[in-house]
Amino acid sequence: MPDKNYPRIGIVLSSGGVRGVYAHTGFLLTIENLGLPISALAGCSAGALVGGFMASGTPLQRWATTLESLRPEDFWAPDSLWRFIWRMAVHQGRGYSGLSSNDTALRFCRQHLSTSDFDGCRYPFSTLAINLGSGEKTVFTQGELAPRMVASASVPVLYEPMEIDGAYYCDGALVEFAPTDAICCRHHLDVVIVHHVSQHFEKCDDIKQLLQRPWSMLEIVNRLLFRQRPWYLSDEQLTLQRCPCGCGALILAVEPSLPQLHWPLTEGGLQALVDTLRQTEDLLRPYQVALQNDPRGQLPQQAGICDHESVSEDCYQGRR
């Protein structure tokens, strides 16, 4: 646990697919390198996965090494074409809720977690999912970690919904990209650093051409999910806001510039990790002292702090 004399820093990791898994790892490596203690962590989808491993006590360097040999088959086991045809043609799709079960992803999570449940985490940890029965946003803070991490990352169509205690859950990105309210105002935080790596909504005049890409049905899901920008972002890669709940905490959003990584490919993931580490270092280094000592009193108070003259030249170079 962080020393009580430190400011209380919360971390929120957004959705982001396979790319997000690598990018969040690079981000957390930077947080560790800067000596910023974590008092609470929340994640959605890819953020729930990486956040869960870190909160459980899995060493960050060991996790980064695991990513070096990560393969799609470690988390993705879709039905064969013949099984899909059989289920759709013979059974008319009855009970068919996703191309892959969650069994492979569950095994992978349990293999790399250092504790099995939320109570064993190093600091308070939360994951976000949507309850299919009620349609409500659900924040998990108790119970077994692995199924709740996987529930948060169960993208509709790609994965079957995750069953937990008789209810079924899907990807939390359907309701919110990054659950800041899961920890802000709940843990008396001074600052919440949001790492946002969800893809941008890509406007396209020729939808027919867009749908000729591989995994076009996933493109449809993405366009529905990412049609709006979250409130905590600006046009800059570093944005400072006040918590809208009125608790006084600062919301510091970091949005690195990264290339797309198409599902379920892992090629290019390690480069995304390195790029995120470098960009986050450039963006946060000018504020390291303020974050370590008195973020409420020492951080700038304008919304888009990367526009401010106090930001070093290194910060500008890091976001070009």
Side-chain angles (χ1 to χ4, degrees):
M1 296 293 290
D3 189 281
K4 64 181 181 180
N5 294 320
Y6 276 108
R8 294 184 59 80
I9 298 174
I11 299 293
V12 178
L13 306 177
S14 77
S15 61
V18 178
R19 182 184 71 167
V21 171
Y22 290 94
H24 289 320
T25 302
F27 170 78
L28 289 175
L29 282 168
T30 301
I31 294 297
E32 184 177 271
N33 293 340
L34 293 176
L36 303 179
I38 299 176
S39 295
L41 193 152
C44 177
S45 197
L49 298 175
V50 178
F53 294 131
M54 297 307 100
S56 79
T58 300
L60 189 52
Q61 290 292 343
R62 190 175 82 191
W63 169 245
T65 300
T66 298
L67 290 183
E68 293 179 6
S69 58
L70 183 67
R71 304 166 302 166
E73 51 265 37
D74 291 329
F75 56 86
W76 171 240
D79 286 335
S80 67
L81 176 60
W82 290 113
R83 177 172 170 78
F84 175 77
I85 292 174
W86 174 265
R87 294 289 299 273
M88 298 305 291
V90 177
H91 295 280
Q92 297 181 330
R94 291 186 181 92
Y96 197 80
S97 55
L99 295 175
S100 174
S101 74
N102 287 299
D103 294 343
T104 300
L106 269 174
R107 284 195 298 270
F108 180 81
C109 287
R110 286 170 175 150
Q111 179 183 355
H112 294 286
L113 284 168
S114 294
T115 188
S116 61
D117 55 42
F118 284 82
D119 290 340
C121 288
R122 297 184 296 168
Y123 35 71
F125 173 60
S126 308
T127 69
L128 173 66
I130 182 170
N131 185 314
L132 280 181
S134 65
E136 295 178 346
K137 166 183 170 180
T138 301
V139 176
F140 292 114
T141 59
Q142 296 180 334
E144 186 185 354
L145 277 166
R148 288 157 179 84
M149 291 160 59
V150 171
S152 182
S154 293
V155 181
V157 179
L158 295 183
Y159 285 102
E160 296 174 352
M162 187 72 213
E163 182 180 4
I164 300 174
D165 297 332
Y168 291 86
Y169 298 90
C170 278
D171 197 320
L174 292 166
V175 288
E176 191 173 353
F177 298 138
T180 56
D181 61 336
I183 55 173
C184 191
C185 305
R186 296 172 184 261
H187 300 292
H188 309 289
L189 300 173
D190 296 300
V191 61
V192 175
I193 306 177
V194 181
H195 189 229
H196 185 91
V197 293
S198 296
Q199 72 179 56
H200 293 288
F201 178 77
E202 181 182 356
K203 295 184 179 179
C204 181
D205 295 330
D206 190 350
I207 300 299
K208 290 184 179 180
Q209 181 180 2
L210 185 73
L211 296 180
Q212 294 303 311
R213 296 178 181 176
W215 290 96
S216 56
M217 64 180 176
L218 185 57
E219 183 65 39
I220 294 172
V221 174
N222 286 339
R223 293 181 71 79
L224 293 173
L225 285 176
F226 305 116
R227 64 190 184 278
Q228 293 181 331
R229 293 271 285 170
W231 63 270
Y232 48 78
L233 297 179
S234 69
D235 292 333
E236 303 296 329
Q237 283 190 293
L238 194 65
T239 305
L240 185 66
Q241 306 276 4
R242 284 284 181 183
C243 174
C245 299
C247 69
L250 299 172
I251 308 293
L252 184 63
V254 177
E255 185 179 26
S257 176
L258 300 171
Q260 292 299 324
L261 190 63
H262 296 291
W263 180 268
L265 302 179
T266 57
E267 183 179 353
L270 292 177
Q271 187 59 52
L273 187 158
V274 172
D275 288 347
T276 303
L277 194 156
R278 177 183 56 80
Q279 292 182 49
T280 306
E281 169 82 17
D282 289 341
L283 291 167
L284 292 185
R285 177 67 72 178
Y287 307 103
Q288 179 182 9
V289 174
L291 287 168
Q292 289 176 329
N293 293 278
D294 181 19
R296 293 194 189 215
Q298 295 182 18
L299 285 176
Q301 298 302 304
Q302 66 277 7
I305 61 179
C306 268
D307 283 331
H308 200 268
E309 293 179 356
S310 65
V311 180
S312 70
E313 181 62 24
D314 286 342
C315 176
Y316 281 102
Q317 291 175 352
R319 64 185 178 87
R320 283 175 183 158

